[in-house]
Structures are given as C-alpha cells and as structure tokens.
C-alpha cells in the first residue's frame, strides 16, 4: 500500500513539474507604449495642413525584449514620425489605409532595429489612439 502511494505521488509530482516547465518555456507577450503621443502633419489635397496624433503600443514576443524597445525608443519614434509625415490624406483617413500603415510600420521598424539588435523584435503594433484633423 505504501509503495503504491509513493508511485502515485511520484507520477503526480512529475506531471506538475512538466506543466511548470512548459509554462516557463512559453514566451509571454508584452507591450511597450510609446509615450508621449506622437503628433505630426501629413499631406492634404488643399492648402490646409493635416495633423495626426497617435499613441502606439508595441507588442514584443517576450518581456525580456522590453528593455531593448525602451533603449531604442528614440529611433522608433523618429521612424514613426517620418513615416506618418509621408502619408497622404486618403491613407490617414481610411480604415484600410490605417491597417496598411500599421503593417508597414511593423515591417519598417523591424528593418531599422535588425542591425541594432540582430533579430526581429517587434511582433505587432497597435494604434491605441488615432486622431486626425
């Protein structure tokens, strides 16, 4: 009876440890918010200037990547402002244009960060605030 108890306990403990090891091996997604909000102008069809203000959350595959994003935040902010300033009014104001802009930002930011970090850091990007005028 005692032997059966020890065998059952050994099986239960090994199951617990294997589940714990799998949880630690799985990467945990993390977000970094670029603060303060980014504001720039964009091309319009008339004589008026268009303005856009965005708040961006950058999704990384692991919490260990957050310090890397924080370190390179000035480079990221500059690239985002530059890309936003090159957009047309149609791109800024349409949902499909906003989605294309989001995808382009992910690709370009990863290209810019690749020489600095040696790997792709950004998994995705979210506009948590998107105002234009």
């Amino acid at each position: 009876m005692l032997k059966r108890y020890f065998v059952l306990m050994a099986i239960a403990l090994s199951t617990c440890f294997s589940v714990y090891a799998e949880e630690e091996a799985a990467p945990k997604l993390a977000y970094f918010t670029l603060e303060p909000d980014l504001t720039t102008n964009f091309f319009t069809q008339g004589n008026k200037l268009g303005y856009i203000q965005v708040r961006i959350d950058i999704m990384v595959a692991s919490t260990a990547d957050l310090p890397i994003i924080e370190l390179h935040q000035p480079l990221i902010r500059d690239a985002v402002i530059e890309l936003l300033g090159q957009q047309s009014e149609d791109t800024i104001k349409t949902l499909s244009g906003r989605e294309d802009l989001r995808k382009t930002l992910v690709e370009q930011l990863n290209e810019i960060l690749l020489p600095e970090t040696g790997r792709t850091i950004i998994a995705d990007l979210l506009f948590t605030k998107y105002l234009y005028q």
Side-chain angles (χ1 to χ4, degrees):
M1 174 85 169
L2 192 58
K3 185 177 180 182
R4 181 182 295 165
Y5 176 74
F6 283 122
V7 170
L8 289 174
M9 285 301 290
I11 292 172
L13 286 175
S14 66
T15 305
C16 290
F17 286 126
S18 66
V19 169
Y20 179 73
E22 286 177 13
E23 286 179 3
E24 283 205 10
K28 305 225 182 209
L29 295 175
Y31 292 91
F32 182 85
T33 303
L34 290 177
E35 290 182 331
D37 297 346
L38 302 165
T39 305
T40 189
N41 55 355
F42 62 90
F43 295 113
T44 62
Q45 296 174 357
N47 290 333
K48 299 185 318 180
L49 269 176
Y51 291 95
I52 182 168
Q53 182 179 40
V54 295
R55 180 178 302 138
I56 295 177
D57 285 359
I58 298 172
M59 182 172 69
V60 293
S62 171
T63 55
D65 293 334
L66 288 176
I68 296 170
I69 294 294
E70 187 173 3
L71 176 69
H72 295 293
Q73 184 177 357
L75 182 64
I76 293 168
R77 293 177 66 83
D78 178 62
V80 171
I81 289 172
E82 184 177 338
L83 185 67
L84 288 175
Q86 296 171 353
Q87 302 307 307
S88 68
E89 185 175 13
D90 292 334
T91 303
I92 298 290
K93 292 186 175 183
T94 62
L95 289 176
S96 62
R98 184 186 320 182
E99 180 63 17
D100 291 341
L101 180 60
R102 186 188 66 77
K103 290 177 183 176
T104 303
L105 275 171
V106 171
E107 291 171 7
Q108 285 195 356
L109 290 177
N110 275 324
E111 286 178 20
I112 291 169
L113 291 174
L114 186 61
E116 301 293 326
T117 62
R119 60 189 173 96
T120 301
I121 298 289
I122 299 174
D124 207 353
L125 180 140
L126 304 169
F127 292 118
T128 53
K129 180 180 191 181
Y130 193 91
L131 302 172
Y132 57 85
Q133 180 180 357

